Amino acid sequence: MSATASASVWHRGPAVPALHLLTDEAVLERTDFAPVAADLMDMGGARIAFHLRGPRTGGRVLFEHARALLASARAADVLLVVNDRVDVALAVGATGVHLGRRSIPVVDARALLGFSARVGVSTHTDEEAAEASAEGADWIFAGTIWVSSTHPDREGRGVGAITSAVAAVDATDGTAPVPVVAIGGVTPDRVATARKAGARGVAVIRGVWDAPDPGAALSRYLQALESDE
């Protein structure tokens, strides 16, 4: 069965959280990572998706982090997502995975994790967005929208990339348009602009983790998203 044919019988799960909080190597190496992560999960609850992401971090380290975070995520009703590593998500029983260019296809990830798993995909072109939607992704990241410190070598595509990604997924044959999440240089002040361009939500790393008070920063993002609804 083709990826598109498989997606035609796939019905997307519950609403995708509007705020996706990601990690990277610098975040994972913080000495206070575990307690701060637990506090942010408790604060955000079902309003956030917490992405355990470490592109250059070994599988064993990601597994240990995921296993340590799972209880906090479940207690707070947080969507815990492991980026790229389907094997780690499967091993710890994480809620879902987020796939990139190096990852396996959506349909294969879902076959391994089960149809209750949530699967997201990073996209950088409208063609990639349409393909991910047709394969049955639960959400897609569209970026990089504004220049970010995480990827300083990439030029921002601008908010037009959000609008065109939304149009691309609307044009597919899926059961419902896949939610588009804006990523790259998103600040609380830019949330409304992203939403007006069609984004269902936003994804952040530095805006929260590099703030003097990560909890207060998370609150500002949530307030910006909620005031725009």
Side-chain angles (χ1 to χ4, degrees):
M1 180 180 291
S2 69
T4 303
S6 298
S8 68
V9 296
W10 166 246
H11 299 282
R12 292 192 173 93
V16 174
L19 181 59
H20 292 245
L21 177 60
L22 283 64
T23 67
D24 61 9
E25 273 74 22
V27 173
L28 296 177
E29 292 170 0
R30 289 174 56 136
T31 57
D32 62 349
F33 170 66
V36 172
D39 287 344
L40 293 173
M41 287 183 183
D42 187 56
M43 176 181 295
R47 298 176 295 173
I48 71 170
F50 190 101
H51 289 241
L52 185 63
R53 171 185 172 274
R56 297 179 300 279
T57 302
R60 179 60 179 266
V61 174
L62 288 174
F63 170 79
E64 295 294 346
H65 280 306
R67 186 167 60 178
L69 292 173
L70 191 59
S72 295
R74 287 177 173 170
D77 197 24
V78 166
L79 176 61
L80 179 62
V81 180
V82 179
N83 283 39
D84 299 319
R85 298 298 298 261
V86 177
D87 56 337
V88 172
L90 182 62
V92 301
T95 316
V97 293
H98 184 87
L99 309 174
R101 293 174 177 173
R102 302 174 299 170
S103 308
I104 66 176
V106 173
V107 291
D108 296 299
R110 207 181 294 285
L112 290 169
L113 296 170
F115 284 95
S116 63
R118 314 298 299 281
V119 182
V121 179
S122 287
T123 69
H124 300 87
T125 67
D126 295 344
E127 291 76 17
E128 290 176 357
E131 181 180 2
S133 178
E135 288 184 350
D138 288 296
W139 68 84
I140 65 165
F141 281 3
T144 300
I145 305 304
W146 291 278
V147 175
S148 74
S149 58
T150 303
H151 297 291
D153 56 325
R154 296 182 187 174
E155 293 185 5
R157 295 173 63 200
V159 294
I162 302 172
T163 304
S164 61
V166 171
V169 301
D170 282 348
T172 65
D173 295 327
T175 56
V178 60
V180 173
V181 177
I183 186 170
V186 182
T187 63
D189 291 340
R190 288 171 169 168
V191 167
T193 302
R195 292 290 287 268
K196 288 178 182 176
R200 166 66 180 84
V202 300
V204 299
I205 302 178
R206 298 294 171 210
V208 170
W209 291 105
D210 282 3
D213 184 341
L218 183 74
S219 180
R220 285 192 291 272
Y221 277 102
L222 290 172
Q223 289 172 3
L225 286 162
E226 290 165 358
S227 65
D228 190 54
E229 290 181 346

